[in-house]
Amino acid sequence: MSFAARLTEDIKNAMKAKDTVALNVVRNLKSAVKYAAIEKFGAEGELGDTDALAVVRKEIKKLQDSVDGAEKAGRPEAVEAAKAEIAVLEKYLPAAMSQDDLVKLVEGVIAELGATSKKDMGSVMKVLQERVAGRADSKSISTEVAKRLA
């Protein structure tokens, strides 16, 4: 099932269950995915799963920023609402990679590319982003790479 088809099916299920939070979140996600597809391919384009997952991550990042802002502003109801939306979006992400697996992968790529200094970080990150395929965030990957290329 394609990502777009899964979103459509989840919208139907949320409507049947009368789950307004999930319905609104999935509708917004479907809209964001469609906008990204139009931006990248034109009106008739459709994103692949990798690109669609990038959109999901982007939406989660926006909501996490909202949580931070709401916490600073002392708005607990907004924090709870954003966290509920994040929980719905996280269902679309693949299972996270364990820290040990990430460390092994980072060390393997560094050895494979023969990277020795910080200036090699870009090439290492590029290969790692492809191999991780969304199972770890860029920040944790770059932290691990930076530790080893110091």
Side-chain angles (χ1 to χ4, degrees):
M1 178 184 291
S2 75
F3 195 81
R6 180 175 173 203
L7 290 177
T8 302
E9 190 64 30
D10 288 348
I11 288 172
K12 288 178 191 174
N13 292 336
M15 279 194 245
K16 287 177 184 175
K18 297 184 182 350
D19 185 350
T20 56
V21 173
L23 179 61
N24 290 333
V25 171
V26 177
R27 279 182 174 161
N28 289 340
L29 178 58
K30 185 174 182 177
S31 174
V33 168
K34 184 63 179 170
Y35 278 120
I38 290 170
E39 190 176 296
K40 191 167 186 174
F41 301 114
E44 299 303 316
E46 190 172 314
L47 291 181
D49 287 350
T50 306
D51 292 332
L53 288 175
V55 172
V56 173
R57 275 192 206 79
K58 185 176 175 183
E59 294 299 311
I60 289 174
K61 176 80 169 98
K62 284 183 197 176
L63 287 168
Q64 287 171 337
D65 291 344
S66 296
V67 168
D68 293 341
E71 285 175 342
K72 289 177 184 170
R75 298 184 53 218
E77 71 286 345
V79 170
E80 291 305 314
K83 285 184 178 180
E85 291 178 19
I86 290 171
V88 172
L89 289 174
E90 285 178 340
K91 294 175 186 173
Y92 293 98
L93 295 177
M97 181 179 248
S98 73
Q99 189 65 25
D100 292 339
D101 291 342
L102 179 61
V103 168
K104 288 176 188 172
L105 185 60
V106 167
E107 290 172 349
V109 169
I110 288 173
E112 178 183 318
L113 297 177
T116 56
S117 66
K118 288 261 189 202
K119 62 183 174 182
D120 299 322
M121 191 163 173
S123 58
V124 172
M125 285 295 294
K126 183 177 179 183
V127 172
L128 282 170
Q129 290 289 0
E130 293 170 5
R131 293 191 186 170
V132 168
R135 294 175 292 148
D137 65 332
S138 297
K139 186 176 180 181
S140 59
I141 296 170
S142 65
T143 302
E144 290 301 322
V145 172
K147 283 181 192 175
R148 282 148 186 80
L149 294 179

